[in-house]
Amino acid sequence: MAHIPSGDTAALELLRFEEALQQSQQPREDYDVSRWLYVPNTYSEYRYILGTRGKKPLICMGINPSTAAPDDLDNTLKSVQRIALANGFDSFLMFNVYAQRATDPDSMEKECNAALHQENLAAFRYLLELHPQPSVWAAWGAIIEKRGYLRHCLLDQIRLSRQYGATWYTAGPISKKGHPHHPLYLRKDAALDPFDPERYCQEILGG
């Protein structure tokens, strides 16, 4: 299923992360909220978090959300889940540099919605607080080149992660341009390797 944005997210009345999180904890008929974390908990033009609940989660950071939902993962998130489990984690939490849902990254809005970015940062802070030693998997691929604002969003997220002592990883080969590998087409038992996000931003993204 494809998702083409209906327009810029600035025209939307955004559901703040804290309110969306509270709603996600209420019982649902369409999925088990004790197993899944889905914020917001209904399909919309944006998504802050999708993943499984556990005591040792792996935070996977992509670029922007797909059409995946609880009990209906796409191939990318199926790969994320397999690799998380293969590397000793009991759950995965999919987060994205930018929260606008668009199947084709070329459809992402041209300008950053500062309000959406701030709510997305609040979501990332929540994920980082779930475990005393958070682990973040850089998995955005070369798609980060699609919009100039993605670099600035990522820098904010890296700074926030350092406040929580997060350890960063990649999986699979780094691209010729120096970008971390996208989760698709990785071996199901692909190992996580150390990743230096600050060095990446300075050497690859230019600042």
Side-chain angles (χ1 to χ4, degrees):
M1 182 174 69
H3 183 98
I4 301 173
S6 60
D8 288 350
T9 59
L12 302 175
E13 184 176 349
L14 291 178
L15 188 61
R16 298 192 60 173
F17 172 71
E18 288 298 333
E19 183 179 354
L21 178 63
Q22 291 177 8
Q23 292 181 7
S24 75
Q25 296 167 345
Q26 301 302 312
R28 300 273 304 182
E29 292 185 356
D30 49 343
Y31 68 90
D32 183 358
V33 298
S34 69
R35 181 184 174 216
W36 291 97
L37 181 61
Y38 185 39
V39 189
N41 64 352
T42 56
Y43 192 91
S44 68
E45 292 289 326
Y46 57 94
R47 189 187 76 210
Y48 299 124
I49 301 168
L50 171 59
T52 51
R53 299 181 186 271
K55 294 182 178 180
K56 187 182 179 183
L58 175 62
I59 303 167
C60 180
M61 188 181 292
I63 280 293
N64 68 304
S66 67
T67 59
D71 295 319
D72 188 21
L73 300 181
D74 58 19
N75 289 335
T76 295
L77 268 69
K78 288 177 182 177
S79 180
V80 169
Q81 185 173 43
R82 286 193 296 266
I83 291 170
L85 297 177
N87 281 273
F89 297 89
D90 67 357
S91 51
F92 79 96
L93 295 163
M94 192 70 208
F95 176 75
N96 291 279
V97 175
Y98 199 63
Q100 184 189 30
R101 183 179 260 120
T103 311
D104 181 356
D106 287 328
S107 298
M108 293 174 66
E109 52 198 358
K110 298 294 192 295
E111 303 293 332
C112 178
N113 180 347
L116 181 62
H117 174 53
Q118 289 303 313
E119 295 305 319
N120 204 37
L121 275 177
F124 193 38
R125 183 184 297 276
Y126 171 78
L127 295 182
L128 292 168
E129 291 176 345
L130 290 176
H131 192 276
Q133 296 177 310
S135 298
V136 183
W137 171 12
W140 48 78
I143 304 173
I144 199 165
E145 297 180 358
K146 290 290 183 180
R147 296 288 183 267
Y149 61 77
L150 294 173
R151 167 181 163 274
H152 300 290
C153 293
L154 177 60
L155 286 169
D156 286 345
Q157 291 152 1
I158 292 170
R159 283 191 286 266
L160 181 60
S161 77
R162 288 311 188 202
Q163 295 178 24
Y164 291 87
T167 302
W168 285 73
Y169 300 96
T170 58
I174 297 295
S175 75
K176 291 182 179 179
K177 289 188 175 182
H179 299 298
H181 202 290
H182 188 275
L184 267 182
Y185 311 121
L186 290 175
R187 291 170 53 97
K188 63 181 180 180
D189 59 348
L192 295 176
D193 299 312
F195 180 72
D196 185 339
E198 286 93 350
R199 182 177 178 181
Y200 164 79
C201 286
Q202 184 165 359
E203 295 184 357
I204 306 303
L205 298 185

